[in-house]
Amino acid sequence: MFIFFLVYVQAQFSSKLHFHYPNADESIAEFRIINKHEIDFTKTTQPFSLFPRSFLENLHIEGKVRELYISSTQGMMPELNAPQHGVLIITNEDADQQIAINQISEIFRIAKYNMIHDQAYYYKFNGNQSYLSFMGFDDDTIQVGKVLLAQDPTDNICIDGIESILKYFGCNGKKGVAQIIDPNTIFRSSYLSLQAKFQYDESTKTAYQKIVLLVKYETQSISKIFNLDPNLSYHSCPEFDSEFIQHSTREITYNLKSAEQFRMGQLSKIQDDTNMIKYSPKITLRKFSAGPWFAFDSYIHLQVTANEDGIVSVLLYFPHEFTPIYHTLETNLESQKQFIWEKETKKIIINAKIKQNETFLVKIKFSKKLKSFEEYPHDPERGQDIITTPVIFNGELYLTSHQVTRQPYPDFSMPFNILTFSSLAMGYFFLQILGMAVDKFILNKPEKGSLAQRLLRKIFSLISF
Amino acid sequence: MYRIALILKCLLWFLGKWDVDLTWLPYFSNPYTQYNNIKEAKYLIANNYNPYSSDGIFQKPLLIYGLIIIDNDLVFLIADILICFLVAYLFGAKQGYRKSILLFYHLNPIIFANIILKNTNVFDHLFMLLTIFSALKTKFLSPILFGFLLYLNPQYFIIFAAISVIFRRETETTQKFALKLVGFLLLSALTIWCLLYISYQITGDWQFIEKTYIDYYFPKDHRPTIGFLWALFSGLFSKYKSLYHAFFILLPICYILPLYNLFVKYAKREKEYLGFMIGVSLFCSFLYFQYVSISDLVIIFILLFQRYDWLFNSLPTIVIVHAGCLILFLGGGLQLIWTDSFTGNPNFTFFQVFVSYVFYVILVSEGVREMLKFRTIQKTEEKEKIKDKGEEEKKLKDEKKERKVIDDKLKED
């Protein structure tokens, strides 16, 4: 699928590179590309597709998909409270969501069953005042009912997606801000998030596309991650209507369109002498899964340490393959517990008042269930993810890390053999009973023969009916 | 002797500190019978939740609420002792057999572990025996107890074959027998409906039906059990599961008529066959159930051994020891290898269960065959006796005639 422009009246193509400095040692670079075209697809003569294939190689969405949002991350960024994840939201009127689920499970390589039955799990994000936000689209709202949360962070598509998405950064990534992105070295960063949103408005006949790339890295190693050869000169991409480089702390904005030439070395110099902002979260979270990895039951432990007084709400979520054992739920502080069941997903909401420097401990046992063949991911040995637990403290949302727990699985190699042997034994028994029920026993006096003959007769009498 | 064993068992239960967790023992409890479900239900009810909102509680509402209200572990010991006495009373026609049942039951560590584990299937066994007891003694209670038994565990529907044999034995004409059966079934259905309605009133909605009767056959638990079909269903594709489930749920029903045919011919006058028949029926039914616990097998084998005297004549008797070792020792060992390390092949567990069941199948089918042959021998001997009697009488008659002729001749002379 690719964007095929035949006729456009008005286009708007802008890019921005924004640097943030959450703490003394780390920096965040946010690339934002916005592309708006008026396209009348009804006048096109050749077949068209709306979404870039390069980013979604395996995705073959059929039907009239009007909005596509995809996000894929790698690493951890506590400042965003964002865990590793992959999210795909498809808004469509006519397309079959079932087909979409089947197709996107190929990308994220998780079991389809998770996506169908765990759709009750969602949470809203409200963008905060700064440009940092979980989604990267702080001015957009996501329709909560259509969120499909994927959980396979090691199979994220950043790796293949980065190189081919560069062409959407304008000038095939050879000019403009995209020039500093080096697909070979960018993965040395501690956090990488690629988010893309594509939308087509039929009434205004406008195709809208927004791509955000967030990179967090150690400030000292900026030159190892980005393509910042001091000898290279930077040229603005003529396709862009506007191009800016922005720094949070010194509120410096460089308009690259007006600057005729800009050296990459200047960027790094700006990095060296900026004031840094200290970031301090209000709570510290620690979540882990306890118990032997081979056990049929396991424990979840959650520790919340507060830096100030407040009310904490914990949302524990169990998908269909895990069943919490409710009577094992323990907390060290007095708390209100609420159990919610939505089809096959189970949620536990725990509210408690917590004082400064106090630790709130939550512990619960859960049992691991066996799934059907088709419900296992392609690599069942990896285990099953227990996704992040949202913790709301004084109105602010925090997310814990996610865990991976080993799950038992049947032997995938022998279902046919087991079926055959079982059916053989059951059929034999059934016919034995049925045969004896209708048979008339006529006792024949056995002829005395040799030992071998008597033995053979005995064996035949055992197996015959 | 057995009284001493019983007293020792009770003392051991009362005085021993049984807070130890025995749930790690393989095959002794399964998701349908474990007492953990009662604890979970108790906690949820205390927090004003419907216990059937959660997965994994398979016990029926009346049992759960009953156990929560009683709240005393003594009920499991009492149920266990009652079961033993009922078995001995109902099926122990021979004095020696009665004593050996009582000893085997009370000295059996598996049975004792079952009491410690507080498995709830003890009530299924109790109601099954009470149903048979009432079918033999007090007629009017039997449909109610049968309804209760089916409410607790639908797998016991197979007992209907034994009840039919009892009724046939006691009625003279086929019409009376049919009426009795129809009346029995209607009353049982009414009882089941009443119990379901009471359960609905207690729990507040019909959710328990989906969880305890439908999900009952579609569990997602992965602990291997000695149920023959566990491996089959655990590894089956979702596409075919419904088909196989429907097939294996209905198959035990197909056994009712053959079992009735088998035993009604031979059990008309002799009570001893009844226990053996019930053992065979239970084996037929539980063969198609995924989650069989070891205490179920113990009951089945006690009942099958009723005709032990002629069983020893047949080859499969020897395999009982082998099957027992296979299940408890080899199976337990392999289970530990797989469950404690997840590195072994789960098919090891399946194959040792499969081999054991092959032996059990041979045992049961050959046991029935030997029983029928034995009965055939008895019948043949009876016929020959009658024939001999007839011949003797004929001989005597002929001799009398000859004598008469000789006497007449002598008289003439």
Side-chain angles (χ1 to χ4, degrees):
Chain A
M1 287 179 267
F2 53 90
I3 299 175
F4 191 88
F5 301 111
L6 279 186
V7 177
Y8 65 89
V9 176
Q10 190 185 349
Q12 193 184 343
F13 204 176
S14 62
S15 80
K16 185 162 75 174
L17 170 57
H18 193 151
F19 287 100
H20 305 271
Y21 305 100
N23 56 57
D25 302 316
E26 289 169 318
S27 309
I28 296 171
E30 183 188 348
F31 296 84
R32 190 180 285 243
I33 313 292
I34 295 171
N35 192 344
K36 240 187 213 175
H37 288 273
E38 276 189 23
I39 306 171
D40 191 354
F41 286 110
T42 55
K43 289 183 185 165
T44 57
T45 51
Q46 292 189 25
F48 68 92
S49 301
L50 194 59
F51 307 111
R53 182 186 4 212
S54 60
F55 197 34
L56 305 161
E57 277 294 330
N58 295 324
L59 189 67
H60 314 288
I61 294 193
E62 290 150 17
K64 299 174 191 174
V65 181
R66 288 288 164 258
E67 180 182 325
L68 176 68
Y69 165 72
I70 192 161
S71 165
S72 176
T73 71
Q74 181 176 298
M76 284 288 289
M77 172 120 77
E79 292 78 7
L80 289 183
N81 304 316
Q84 291 179 205
H85 74 288
V87 175
L88 180 68
I89 304 169
I90 302 166
T91 311
N92 54 46
E93 296 100 22
D94 305 325
D96 187 356
Q97 197 166 30
Q98 188 67 39
I99 296 169
I101 289 169
N102 288 338
Q103 290 158 356
I104 57 178
S105 66
E106 290 174 33
I107 299 175
F108 292 102
R109 279 171 255 169
I110 60 163
K112 289 172 218 171
Y113 199 76
N114 276 37
M115 305 195 91
I116 296 163
H117 288 270
D118 295 346
Q119 60 189 326
Y121 181 69
Y122 57 83
Y123 42 87
K124 276 188 184 174
F125 292 94
N126 296 316
N128 52 25
Q129 294 304 311
S130 73
Y131 286 101
L132 291 174
S133 68
F134 180 75
M135 294 295 196
F137 302 103
D138 38 40
D139 52 337
D140 299 317
T141 54
I142 308 294
Q143 284 187 8
V144 167
K146 294 187 174 111
V147 173
L148 302 166
L149 195 66
Q151 282 289 301
D152 199 354
T154 58
D155 288 335
N156 63 71
I157 60 169
C158 277
I159 294 163
D160 295 322
I162 290 283
E163 195 158 337
S164 43
I165 205 75
L166 282 177
K167 65 174 92 160
Y168 295 100
F169 277 63
C171 295
N172 283 336
K174 304 291 181 212
K175 286 182 181 177
V177 295
Q179 208 175 348
I180 77 164
I181 298 171
D182 187 348
N184 299 315
T185 55
I186 202 164
F187 299 101
R188 294 174 190 167
S189 54
S190 55
Y191 177 81
L192 184 63
S193 160
L194 180 63
Q195 296 160 30
K197 183 171 180 179
F198 304 94
Q199 208 171 7
Y200 181 66
D201 190 356
E202 255 184 324
S203 54
T204 56
K205 295 201 175 10
T206 311
Y208 173 83
Q209 151 194 327
K210 186 173 177 183
I211 296 169
V212 174
L213 179 69
L214 267 166
V215 186
K216 184 183 170 190
Y217 54 96
E218 280 171 38
T219 315
Q220 302 304 316
S221 58
I222 182 173
S223 51
K224 289 178 193 169
I225 291 166
F226 293 113
N227 191 9
L228 291 173
D229 188 347
N231 298 319
L232 271 181
S233 59
Y234 168 87
H235 295 285
S236 166
C237 177
E239 284 178 24
F240 283 113
D241 301 305
S242 62
E243 268 188 298
F244 294 98
I245 295 179
Q246 200 171 344
H247 281 267
S248 284
T249 50
R250 295 175 68 178
E251 293 174 5
I252 299 166
T253 305
Y254 292 93
N255 187 343
L256 297 159
K257 278 288 177 200
S258 52
E260 287 173 6
Q261 207 175 6
F262 193 83
R263 287 190 172 271
M264 293 299 186
Q266 281 177 287
L267 262 176
S268 58
K269 274 189 189 164
I270 289 162
Q271 285 280 330
D272 291 335
D273 57 355
T274 49
N275 290 324
M276 305 297 179
I277 300 171
K278 294 267 180 207
Y279 172 75
S280 54
K282 287 181 189 165
I283 54 169
T284 315
L285 297 169
R286 194 167 162 244
K287 184 184 172 203
F288 56 94
S289 178
W293 59 270
F294 49 77
F296 292 109
D297 302 325
S298 201
Y299 283 92
I300 282 180
H301 289 254
L302 177 65
Q303 293 172 7
V304 180
T305 307
N307 298 329
E308 59 185 53
D309 291 359
I311 296 170
V312 64
S313 297
V314 174
L315 170 62
L316 286 169
Y317 166 79
F318 295 92
H320 69 282
E321 55 258 333
F322 300 127
T323 299
I325 301 171
Y326 293 98
H327 70 269
T328 58
L329 177 62
E330 290 170 21
T331 54
N332 67 333
L333 300 173
E334 204 182 299
S335 53
Q336 293 86 44
K337 294 148 195 162
Q338 197 186 350
F339 306 141
I340 300 168
W341 293 275
E342 283 170 10
K343 287 190 185 176
E344 292 191 46
T345 58
K346 301 125 215 154
K347 291 186 208 175
I348 300 174
I349 301 175
I350 306 167
N351 297 307
K353 269 190 186 165
I354 188 171
K355 291 184 186 155
Q356 192 177 14
N357 297 329
E358 208 172 22
T359 302
F360 178 48
L361 298 166
V362 177
K363 176 182 160 184
I364 187 167
K365 196 176 185 183
F366 66 95
S367 67
K368 306 173 197 172
K369 301 294 181 193
L370 194 65
K371 301 196 281 192
S372 294
F373 263 51
E374 305 94 319
E375 294 168 21
Y376 283 93
H378 296 253
D379 53 347
E381 293 255 346
R382 177 182 170 275
Q384 180 67 36
D385 292 278
I386 300 171
I387 59 176
T388 176
T389 297
V391 175
I392 299 168
F393 182 72
N394 289 345
E396 282 184 23
L397 176 70
Y398 297 86
L399 295 165
T400 64
S401 59
H402 82 288
Q403 286 75 46
V404 178
T405 179
R406 193 75 184 267
Q407 206 175 12
Y409 52 89
D411 186 350
F412 293 107
S413 66
M414 277 194 47
F416 174 74
N417 301 347
I418 291 172
L419 262 170
T420 314
F421 293 136
S422 310
S423 305
L424 174 73
M426 286 187 282
Y428 171 79
F429 182 65
F430 183 72
L431 288 172
Q432 284 279 298
I433 298 288
L434 199 65
M436 283 188 282
V438 300
D439 205 0
K440 273 187 184 172
F441 272 86
I442 302 162
L443 199 67
N444 297 321
K445 283 192 181 158
E447 300 153 9
K448 280 192 179 174
S450 68
L451 178 66
Q453 280 176 324
R454 275 183 275 156
L455 203 64
L456 272 171
R457 218 178 291 126
K458 190 71 189 174
I459 291 168
F460 283 138
S461 74
L462 277 175
I463 60 174
S464 68
F465 56 88
Chain B
M1 180 69 191
Y2 76 86
R3 286 193 189 99
I4 299 166
L6 174 60
I7 291 164
L8 279 172
K9 181 175 161 179
C10 294
L11 274 171
L12 191 63
W13 187 85
F14 275 111
L15 301 172
K17 289 191 180 160
W18 298 114
D19 293 331
V20 63
D21 180 23
L22 286 179
T23 50
W24 60 269
L25 278 172
Y27 309 138
F28 276 77
S29 56
N30 59 50
Y32 294 94
T33 64
Q34 60 191 6
Y35 189 72
N36 223 24
N37 296 351
I38 308 293
K39 277 195 229 166
E40 182 81 339
K42 196 175 179 181
Y43 178 84
L44 288 169
I45 291 166
N47 285 290
N48 298 319
Y49 289 104
N50 186 345
Y52 296 100
S53 311
S54 167
D55 297 339
I57 295 178
F58 296 107
Q59 281 88 345
K60 309 302 183 283
L62 285 175
L63 183 64
I64 286 181
Y65 281 81
L67 283 172
I68 290 170
I69 290 166
I70 294 172
D71 201 18
N72 194 340
D73 296 344
L74 192 61
V75 70
F76 291 96
L77 181 69
I78 293 169
D80 180 67
I81 296 169
L82 268 174
I83 287 169
C84 183
F85 279 118
L86 276 169
V87 168
Y89 177 77
L90 287 170
F91 312 120
K94 292 185 186 172
Q95 195 62 23
Y97 178 66
R98 192 179 290 178
K99 275 189 183 165
S100 49
I101 291 178
L102 293 166
L103 271 174
F104 173 75
Y105 199 86
H106 290 311
L107 293 174
N108 196 332
I110 297 171
I111 300 291
F112 191 72
N114 210 42
I115 306 173
I116 305 300
L117 282 163
K118 295 183 276 189
N119 281 330
T120 53
N121 63 344
V122 68
F123 300 106
D124 300 349
H125 303 148
L126 182 63
F127 273 95
M128 178 201 53
L129 293 167
L130 283 171
T131 309
I132 301 295
F133 177 78
S134 65
L136 288 166
K137 308 287 177 193
T138 52
K139 307 292 171 201
F140 66 93
L141 270 179
S142 59
I144 297 166
L145 286 165
F146 188 59
F148 215 107
L149 176 66
L150 289 187
Y151 165 81
L152 284 179
N153 191 345
Q155 213 68 21
Y156 282 95
F157 189 71
I158 203 85
I159 299 298
F160 186 63
I163 293 171
S164 310
V165 168
I166 295 169
F167 286 168
R168 190 69 189 95
R169 222 164 51 182
E170 292 158 359
T171 48
E172 289 142 10
T173 61
T174 318
Q175 199 181 17
K176 275 188 189 173
F177 166 61
L179 282 169
K180 209 169 180 179
L181 268 187
V182 167
F184 178 87
L185 282 172
L186 283 172
L187 272 171
S188 303
L190 187 66
T191 313
I192 295 169
W193 165 245
C194 289
L195 291 169
L196 287 174
Y197 186 72
I198 296 167
S199 306
Y200 164 71
Q201 291 292 323
I202 293 172
T203 57
D205 54 28
W206 293 106
Q207 218 177 5
F208 72 94
I209 288 185
E210 189 201 331
K211 293 283 161 78
T212 60
Y213 291 104
I214 298 171
D215 287 355
Y216 196 67
Y217 291 97
F218 297 86
K220 290 174 197 158
D221 206 87
H222 52 260
R223 290 182 189 84
T225 74
I226 45 174
F228 190 50
L229 294 188
W230 176 83
L232 188 143
F233 280 110
S234 69
L236 203 58
F237 287 101
S238 309
K239 223 178 177 178
Y240 309 111
K241 252 187 187 162
S242 306
L243 170 71
Y244 276 88
H245 268 112
F247 185 67
F248 291 126
I249 288 167
L250 294 173
L251 207 51
I253 299 172
C254 301
Y255 275 94
I256 293 176
L257 197 55
L259 284 169
Y260 169 79
N261 268 342
L262 263 174
F263 288 95
V264 77
K265 296 177 205 174
Y266 305 98
K268 265 190 179 166
R269 285 179 210 117
E270 297 184 38
K271 231 195 264 183
E272 290 157 15
Y273 286 106
L274 192 62
F276 180 72
M277 178 185 181
I278 294 170
V280 173
S281 312
L282 287 178
F283 182 79
C284 295
S285 180
F286 279 91
L287 187 64
Y288 299 96
F289 190 54
Q290 290 181 66
Y291 282 92
V292 182
S293 72
I294 214 164
S295 56
D296 293 326
L297 276 186
V298 167
I299 296 286
I300 291 171
F301 284 131
I302 288 175
L303 295 171
L304 284 174
F305 269 127
Q306 198 186 7
R307 296 295 298 163
Y308 68 92
D309 48 355
W310 49 266
L311 257 183
F312 280 126
N313 295 330
S314 65
L315 191 63
T317 310
I318 303 160
V319 305
I320 296 160
V321 173
H322 173 85
C325 291
L326 213 58
I327 284 279
L328 285 173
F329 299 109
L330 188 61
L334 287 172
Q335 168 89 358
L336 287 168
I337 290 170
W338 185 59
T339 59
D340 282 357
S341 60
F342 275 9
T343 54
N345 192 327
N347 285 327
F348 289 152
T349 318
F350 165 70
F351 272 107
Q352 50 90 15
V353 168
F354 173 75
V355 168
S356 308
Y357 269 85
V358 165
F359 287 129
Y360 299 151
V361 157
I362 295 171
L363 167 77
V364 172
S365 56
E366 286 306 304
V368 175
R369 189 187 299 278
E370 285 294 329
M371 182 204 73
L372 297 177
K373 272 190 194 166
F374 177 68
R375 190 66 189 131
T376 312
I377 293 169
Q378 271 190 332
K379 268 200 169 174
T380 318
E381 280 173 357
E382 275 171 24
K383 273 186 190 166
E384 278 176 359
K385 266 187 194 168
I386 293 166
K387 214 179 170 184
D388 287 338
K389 248 190 183 176
E391 275 178 15
E392 265 181 44
E393 276 177 18
K394 209 181 170 187
K395 256 189 185 175
L396 277 167
K397 270 188 186 171
D398 287 339
E399 269 177 11
K400 265 189 183 171
K401 265 189 189 171
E402 271 182 39
R403 271 193 205 153
K404 212 180 173 184
V405 163
I406 293 166
D407 283 339
D408 286 339
K409 265 192 179 172
L410 280 167
K411 268 188 182 172
E412 271 178 22
D413 290 339

